[in-house]
Amino acid sequence: MDAKLKYKAKKIKIVFFDIDDTLRTSKTGFIPATIPTVFKQLREKGILTGIASGRGIFGVVPEIRELKPDFFVTLNGGYIEDKKGQVIYQHQIDKSDVEEYISWTKEEGIEYGLVGSHDAKLSTRTELISEAIDPIYPNLDVDPNFHEKADIYQMWTFEDKGDGLHLPDSLSDKLRMVRWHEHSSDIVPISGSKAAGVAKVVEHLGLKPENVMVFGDGLNDLELFDYAGISIAMGVSHEKIKEKADYITKTVEEDGIFDALEGFGMVEKELHFPQVDIETAEGPLATIKTNHGDLRIKLFPEHAPKTVANFVALSKDGYYDGVIFHRIIKDFMIQGGDPTGTGMGGESIYGDSFEDEFSEELYNIRGALSMANAGPNTNGSQFFIVQNQHLPYSKKEIARGGWPEPIAEIYAEQGGTPHLDRRHTVFGQLVDAESFAVLDAIAAVETGVMDKPVEDVVIETIEIED
C-alpha cells in the first residue's frame, strides 16, 4: 500500500460503506465474520461509521443494523438518519414530477417503482421485476398509486432498454437516472446522490471530505469516490469504479474490507490463543510414548500447516520410533527427533530443510512443542518441548516487552522460553497434568557431555489421532 495513502488515512474520522457486494454479497447475503470486528474496532478508535446505499432504510437488513453504524445515508442521499433514528436530511420529489414520471413510463411501455422513506411499491409484478428487485427488497407489494398516500424520495424503472433509455426533457432538469441493475435504474433528484447525502452528514459533523473514507463497488458510487478523501473499490467492482479508486481491495468473500483497513492500520486482527484454552483447541492429538511415560500434545495445523504435516507424516511412518531425546537441559527444554542421536541429523518429509511458520497466536510457553533448527528456515525432523517453569519477570514486564497479555500472564505464572519466540516454530502444546509430570521427570534425568542423558530417554513411538 502506498505510503502517501497510509498517511492520508490518519485524517479519516468517518468511514462509509455501501451494502451490496461491499458489506455483503447481493446474491447470497453472505457477510464475512470480520465485518462486526471492523465496526467494533473503528468505534473503539473513535472513528465514526455510516451506511451509504441506494437502498431505503427499510431495506437495510437486520445483520447490517446490528453493526450499529452512526449514520444511514439511504435512497442515494435522499433520506438520512442517525443511529438514534433522528432525521438528518430528507428530500422528497414533487408530486407533480412523480405523476409526470408515471405518465412517461406508460408512454415508454415500461414499469416503475415508487419509494417512500420507509416503504416502497411496484406498479406491477413480472419476472423481470422480481429478478431485479427481490434480492434487495423481497416481496414488495403492488400499488401503482402509492404516491397518492406517501411522500416519494426515489423511483425505479423496470425495463430491458439499458443505457438507451432517457428521461424526457421536461423531467431531465429535475431528475436523473442512475443505473444500478441491467433491468433497472434509480430515478433521483438531479442533485441527489450518495455523495450529496454523505456531504450532508460531513457538514452536520463539521468535518471535511478529507476526513471521509468510502467503500463501494457500483456506478452509483462514482460521485462518492470523487468526493471522499480516500475511496476503496471492492475486488468485483465495476471497471469505472476501479479507475476512480485510490485502492482496490479483495472481494467480500476474501475479507476485502478488513484487508484494506488492516493495511491502513485502522484495524487489527483479533488474536485467539489456542494454548490458553488447550481443552477447546482443535487439531490432531499426538501421543509421544517414551520409556518414562506418555506426552500428549495437541497440534495446530491451522497455524503451522507445513510443520504439522511433517511431524504427523514422520510419526505415522515410524520415523521417530526408537529415537532418543539426545539433549536435555533442566529448567529449559528436552530435545529429540534425530535418528542419529547426535543433534546433527534428521530429514523432513520435504527432502530438505523447510521454512519457519511463525504465528502471532502461538508462543514458547511451558509445554510448547517447537521445531529445533540451525537458524532461520532450517527445519528438519528435530523438535523440543519447553520445560522451564520459572521466569524472573512479571506479567506487566513481559507485556511491556510486546507479548499479548494472555501470553504474558502464562509466561509469568507458568514459565517458558520467550526468547525463542519468532526463532522456533511452535506447532503443539501439552494437554494435561500427567504429560507435564512426564516432561518434568524427563527433564530431571542425569545428563553428561553435551547435555545428553546418561541413560537413554527413548521415544518408543508417536501415535496420531486425527
Side-chain angles (χ1 to χ4, degrees), residues 201-219:
V201 174
V202 171
E203 180 182 344
H204 172 75
L205 295 171
L207 301 177
K208 299 177 181 179
E210 66 187 31
N211 304 131
V212 179
M213 175 184 285
V214 297
F215 284 82
D217 69 284
L219 293 175

Side-chain angles (χ1 to χ4, degrees), residues 83-99:
K83 62 183 178 183
K84 296 180 180 179
Q86 297 178 331
V87 179
I88 302 299
Y89 174 78
Q90 56 185 327
H91 184 181
Q92 304 97 334
I93 299 174
D94 287 344
K95 286 194 180 295
S96 60
D97 293 334
V98 175
E99 291 170 353

Side-chain angles (χ1 to χ4, degrees), residues 141-395:
D141 292 332
V142 172
D143 184 353
N145 300 312
F146 181 54
H147 60 291
E148 296 176 358
K149 308 157 194 169
D151 290 327
I152 303 302
Y153 291 77
Q154 181 175 294
M155 299 176 289
W156 298 309
T157 67
F158 294 110
E159 28 66 29
D160 56 9
K161 299 189 176 185
D163 294 337
L165 187 66
H166 301 282
L167 289 170
D169 293 342
S170 57
L171 288 175
S172 61
D173 62 340
K174 298 177 246 182
L175 304 173
R176 68 189 185 97
M177 303 176 72
V178 180
R179 201 71 178 171
W180 68 274
H181 187 274
E182 62 178 328
H183 293 144
S184 184
S185 287
D186 291 330
I187 307 300
V188 299
I190 194 74
S191 60
S193 68
K194 290 184 185 182
V198 166
K200 293 291 183 183
V201 174
V202 171
E203 180 182 344
H204 172 75
L205 295 171
L207 301 177
K208 299 177 181 179
E210 66 187 31
N211 304 131
V212 179
M213 175 184 285
V214 297
F215 284 82
D217 69 284
L219 293 175
N220 61 352
D221 295 310
L222 285 171
E223 294 98 339
L224 193 53
F225 274 37
D226 284 332
Y227 172 82
I230 297 178
S231 56
I232 302 173
M234 303 301 292
V236 296
S237 297
H238 193 284
E239 287 304 314
K240 289 185 178 180
I241 285 292
K242 290 182 178 180
E243 290 173 6
K244 282 187 177 289
D246 294 304
Y247 183 76
I248 301 171
T249 189
K250 300 176 182 177
T251 65
V252 175
E253 295 89 342
E254 296 171 314
D255 289 319
I257 288 175
F258 189 93
D259 181 70
L261 291 175
E262 185 182 26
F264 282 110
M266 296 169 68
V267 300
E268 298 90 30
K269 288 180 181 176
E270 286 193 330
L271 300 179
H272 303 279
F273 307 103
Q275 293 165 289
V276 173
D277 189 10
I278 195 65
E279 292 181 0
T280 62
E282 296 183 356
L285 183 69
T287 301
I288 303 177
K289 293 183 171 293
T290 80
N291 59 342
H292 284 255
D294 294 349
L295 297 162
R296 287 161 46 83
I297 300 173
K298 182 61 67 71
L299 304 178
F300 306 123
E302 289 191 7
H303 299 77
K306 198 165 184 178
T307 306
V308 170
N310 178 65
F311 182 80
V312 167
L314 292 177
S315 298
K316 289 183 175 181
D317 286 346
Y319 186 87
Y320 294 121
D321 294 0
V323 173
I324 64 170
F325 281 96
H326 62 271
R327 183 175 178 232
I328 294 177
I329 304 176
K330 192 176 187 308
D331 294 325
F332 182 24
M333 58 85 217
I334 65 173
Q335 183 174 336
D338 173 12
T340 71
T342 65
M344 303 296 289
E347 292 183 351
S348 74
I349 61 171
Y350 308 110
D352 200 353
S353 298
F354 65 97
E355 66 272 18
D356 298 316
E357 293 181 301
F358 299 141
S359 169
E360 297 175 285
E361 299 182 328
L362 297 177
Y363 294 84
N364 283 282
I365 62 173
R366 172 170 156 80
L369 173 66
S370 295
M371 289 300 289
N373 62 42
N377 304 312
T378 58
N379 299 294
S381 67
Q382 293 188 45
F383 58 84
F384 64 90
I385 302 174
V386 178
Q387 188 268 332
N388 180 41
Q389 301 182 62
H390 307 288
L391 281 177
Y393 307 109
S394 67
K395 170 187 172 182

Side-chain angles (χ1 to χ4, degrees), residues 58-85:
F58 55 93
V60 178
V61 297
E63 296 89 338
I64 300 298
R65 285 184 170 276
E66 288 171 9
L67 298 173
K68 299 180 180 179
D70 296 285
F71 296 94
F72 295 89
V73 175
T74 64
L75 301 176
N76 289 303
Y79 185 84
I80 306 171
E81 283 186 3
D82 65 14
K83 62 183 178 183
K84 296 180 180 179

